[in-house]
Amino acid sequence: TQLLEQSPQFLSIQEGENLTVYCNSSSVFSSLQWYRQEPGEGPVLLVTVVTGGEVKKLKRLTFQFGDARKDSSLHITAAQPGDTGLYLCAVYNNDMRFGAGTRLTVKP
Amino acid sequence: NAGVTQTPKFQVLKTGQSMTLQCAQDMNHEYMSWYRQDPGMGLRLIHYSVGAGITDQGEVPNGYNVSRSTTEDFPLRLLSAAPSQTSVYFCASSYSWTGGEKLFFGSGTQLSVL
């Protein structure tokens, strides 16, 4: 059983659509991070959330940390082809652990 | 700004061969780590280091060795490569190891073991 469960595993949408991806766990964490990875590159940090219920916005991306600090969501408004990539959540649990990711494809 | 540099970018090995994946960072980061990425498995931690001379095992350490003689370098050694070690390997670093820090990743090494 993975520490972090991400869903959906794959998502393919048209440009302009909205979407939400999820990162869930049964454990409580002091913080949670979201990374985006493009083909042939390493992951790049998008955001860190630290407070239960916290909402952070990064242009068209909205990140929320669950009230109990066990889960998080990433919402993208009006998705664009440039949003295509693998979205990974990660937590510190004695060391840094990652979920398996959601692979998003945005078609023009 | 070099950041985290990994070499080589691609490597093909035969079963039983040994090799070292190189990782260097120029940000004076305390924490360095190695991950492997396999389809559907996400990033799995192999080994990590919280400073020069200090290393520890991660989630999947078997078949890999590491050492950290300097702050800048953190090589990963495969002593006897196996097909199960075919994967993409990423090195990452952060300023500290207290959690919640931004991880900086290299661009990866794609390793195939035949």
Side-chain angles (χ1 to χ4, degrees), chain A residues 43-61:
Chain A
V44 175
L45 180 68
L46 296 173
V47 76
T48 301
V49 286
V50 297
T51 305
E54 180 178 7
V55 176
K56 280 193 173 180
K57 294 190 175 183
L58 185 65
K59 297 183 180 178
R60 293 175 293 98
L61 279 61

Side-chain angles (χ1 to χ4, degrees), chain A residues 8-12 37 39 85-87 100-105, chain B residues 37 39:
Chain A
Q9 188 176 359
F10 298 96
L11 186 58
S12 181
Q37 184 180 17
L86 179 66
Y87 288 82
T102 292
R103 189 167 297 280
L104 172 65
T105 301
Chain B
Q37 186 172 37

Side-chain angles (χ1 to χ4, degrees), chain A residues 2 9 30-31 33 35 37 40-45 48 50 86 88 90 92 94-101 103, chain B residues 9 31 35 37 39-45 48 57-59 90 97-108:
Chain A
Q2 287 209 335
Q9 188 176 359
S30 58
S31 65
Q33 297 178 329
Y35 289 79
Q37 184 180 17
E41 298 296 329
V44 175
L45 180 68
T48 301
V50 297
L86 179 66
L88 297 158
Y92 181 76
N94 298 316
D95 49 54
M96 287 299 294
R97 297 297 177 99
F98 286 77
R103 189 167 297 280
Chain B
K9 184 72 174 176
Y31 181 90
Y35 291 86
Q37 186 172 37
M41 302 291 290
L43 288 159
R44 290 185 292 169
L45 183 65
Y48 65 96
Q57 296 181 350
E59 192 180 357
F90 288 97
W97 53 279
T98 54
E101 295 283 341
K102 176 180 179 179
L103 273 176
F104 293 80
F105 284 86
S107 57

Side-chain angles (χ1 to χ4, degrees), chain A:
Chain A
T1 303
Q2 287 209 335
L3 181 65
L4 298 171
E5 297 287 344
Q6 290 193 245
S7 61
Q9 188 176 359
F10 298 96
L11 186 58
S12 181
I13 60 171
Q14 293 295 133
E15 182 176 1
E17 293 184 7
N18 301 332
L19 66 114
T20 302
V21 299
Y22 301 92
C23 176
N24 295 301
S25 179
S26 58
S27 301
V28 177
F29 303 108
S30 58
S31 65
L32 184 144
Q33 297 178 329
W34 284 94
Y35 289 79
R36 180 169 65 203
Q37 184 180 17
E38 298 184 10
E41 298 296 329
V44 175
L45 180 68
L46 296 173
V47 76
T48 301
V49 286
V50 297
T51 305
E54 180 178 7
V55 176
K56 280 193 173 180
K57 294 190 175 183
L58 185 65
K59 297 183 180 178
R60 293 175 293 98
L61 279 61
T62 301
F63 305 84
Q64 183 161 8
F65 202 12
D67 291 341
R69 291 184 286 124
K70 293 182 179 182
D71 52 73
S72 181
S73 63
L74 160 58
H75 181 80
I76 302 179
T77 303
Q80 298 178 1
D83 296 325
T84 293
L86 179 66
Y87 288 82
L88 297 158
C89 61
V91 293
Y92 181 76
N93 187 39
N94 298 316
D95 49 54
M96 287 299 294
R97 297 297 177 99
F98 286 77
T102 292
R103 189 167 297 280
L104 172 65
T105 301
V106 182
K107 300 175 184 177

Side-chain angles (χ1 to χ4, degrees), chain B residues 10-52:
Chain B
F10 301 95
Q11 183 69 52
V12 179
L13 293 177
K14 294 182 180 179
T15 297
Q17 286 186 317
S18 63
M19 79 158 296
T20 299
L21 279 62
Q22 302 291 343
C23 176
Q25 53 89 11
D26 61 358
M27 298 173 281
N28 200 31
H29 284 172
E30 287 186 348
Y31 181 90
M32 297 187 73
S33 55
W34 277 101
Y35 291 86
R36 60 177 289 173
Q37 186 172 37
D38 303 292
M41 302 291 290
L43 288 159
R44 290 185 292 169
L45 183 65
I46 305 171
H47 285 285
Y48 65 96
S49 169
V50 299

Side-chain angles (χ1 to χ4, degrees), chain B residues 42-112:
Chain B
L43 288 159
R44 290 185 292 169
L45 183 65
I46 305 171
H47 285 285
Y48 65 96
S49 169
V50 299
I54 305 170
T55 63
D56 208 344
Q57 296 181 350
E59 192 180 357
V60 288
N62 293 339
Y64 307 95
N65 280 350
V66 292
S67 60
R68 184 122 178 246
S69 57
T70 67
T71 299
E72 294 78 19
D73 300 298
F74 191 45
L76 179 71
R77 297 182 186 84
L78 283 71
L79 298 179
S80 179
S84 61
Q85 294 178 305
T86 293
S87 187
V88 181
Y89 291 84
F90 288 97
C91 179
S93 72
S94 66
Y95 179 71
S96 73
W97 53 279
T98 54
E101 295 283 341
K102 176 180 179 179
L103 273 176
F104 293 80
F105 284 86
S107 57
T109 295
Q110 188 168 327
L111 175 67
S112 295

